Amino acid sequence: QQPVQSPQAVILREGEDAVINCSSSKALYSVHWYRQKHGEAPVFLMILLKGGEQKGHEKISASFNEKKQQSSLYLTASQLSYSGTYFCGTPGVYGGSQGNLIFGKGTKLSVKP
Amino acid sequence: GAGVSQSPSNKVTEKGKDVELRCDPISGHTALYWYRQSLGQGLEFLIYFQGNSAPDKSGLPSDRFSAERTGGSVSTLTIQRTQQEDSAVYLCASSLGPNNEKLFFGSGTQLSVL
């Protein structure tokens, strides 16, 4: 049930772009994205619902393709503050919106000056 | 309160002892979640409450782990007969409801079992 994230880690220079992918083996109702900076609690970025809607947060956007059971997080013109571990989460209840949120193993993003 | 509050922030215990971890969610939030994060690892789901009931206990790693929530507010995670592999950060989160609401995480309890 755990979604699969790729890549596991990525290193960028400031200003570069990155894409983080999240896929699931089961039908999805929604995908949630969180960022955790070192030593801190995870912080909400965005939720994507069925419909392929693209959302944005600062220069971070995401898409959700429920047919492919995939979501992608796009970080454009990365800043030092984007460094951290990004987690995608999917509802544990099959296809449903209720219940626990199961997270992937995370993608560690490091942005260098 | 203003945010999710967890206590203690750090707990050092000896192997075999019982520990209780507390979570005070944001006022009015009906859904509450416990996660475990081992060093450098992801967020492992433990248990989820909607109100006082826990419809999903599937993530509890063993029968040494239990959790309760009373009055639809404060929750306690209890680990009996702690083992060294229980050492981790235990994170609590709450959300307004169970349907695709964003989670607000507490700062966690760092548990070290010696």
Side-chain angles (χ1 to χ4, degrees):
Chain A
Q1 279 191 344
Q2 184 180 37
V4 177
Q5 289 186 236
S6 63
Q8 289 185 332
V10 59
I11 300 174
L12 298 174
R13 292 285 181 192
E14 249 186 312
E16 292 181 338
D17 302 340
V19 180
I20 299 172
N21 298 302
C22 174
S23 63
S24 174
S25 59
K26 63 178 181 70
L28 296 174
Y29 181 85
S30 63
V31 177
H32 305 226
W33 286 97
Y34 287 76
R35 177 172 65 200
Q36 184 179 31
K37 299 200 174 186
H38 184 69
E40 298 180 8
V43 172
F44 171 82
L45 290 177
M46 64 190 80
I47 294 173
L48 296 105
L49 304 178
K50 284 174 93 170
E53 180 182 1
Q54 199 146 354
K55 291 247 181 177
H57 172 85
E58 301 171 345
K59 289 185 181 178
I60 301 172
S61 62
S63 62
F64 175 33
N65 187 325
E66 66 266 22
K67 286 185 180 177
K68 292 186 177 180
Q69 296 161 199
Q70 289 179 347
S71 177
S72 294
L73 190 71
Y74 305 95
L75 299 100
T76 56
S78 59
Q79 305 168 17
L80 296 176
S81 62
Y82 287 2
S83 294
T85 300
Y86 290 77
F87 293 97
C88 71
T90 58
V93 177
Y94 178 83
S97 60
Q98 288 204 9
N100 57 306
L101 201 58
I102 306 295
F103 288 97
K105 293 187 176 181
T107 295
K108 185 173 181 180
L109 179 75
S110 302
V111 182
K112 309 289 186 185
Chain B
V4 178
S5 178
Q6 291 188 245
S7 61
S9 55
N10 281 283
K11 177 72 178 179
V12 180
T13 190
E14 293 179 351
K15 179 181 170 182
K17 296 280 179 74
D18 298 350
V19 294
E20 280 189 357
L21 311 181
R22 176 189 167 106
C23 173
D24 200 343
I26 293 173
S27 178
H29 280 196
T30 65
L32 186 147
Y33 311 76
W34 282 99
Y35 290 90
R36 178 169 72 174
Q37 189 170 35
S38 301
L39 188 64
Q41 299 301 307
L43 301 164
E44 177 189 4
F45 168 77
L46 297 179
I47 190 169
Y48 150 72
F49 288 92
Q50 176 53 36
N52 288 338
S53 65
D56 190 345
K57 300 180 182 179
S58 62
L60 293 176
S62 77
D63 58 9
R64 297 187 294 106
F65 288 72
S66 63
E68 63 176 15
R69 188 180 185 195
T70 53
S73 182
V74 172
S75 176
T76 302
L77 178 70
T78 302
I79 309 173
Q80 295 179 310
R81 305 181 302 282
T82 52
Q83 304 293 313
Q84 288 185 332
E85 60 262 27
D86 299 335
S87 296
V89 175
Y90 289 81
L91 289 162
C92 174
S94 70
S95 65
L96 198 58
N99 295 322
N100 289 312
E101 303 281 352
K102 71 179 190 181
L103 271 59
F104 293 82
F105 281 86
S107 298
T109 293
Q110 171 73 64
L111 176 66
S112 301
V113 183
L114 305 179

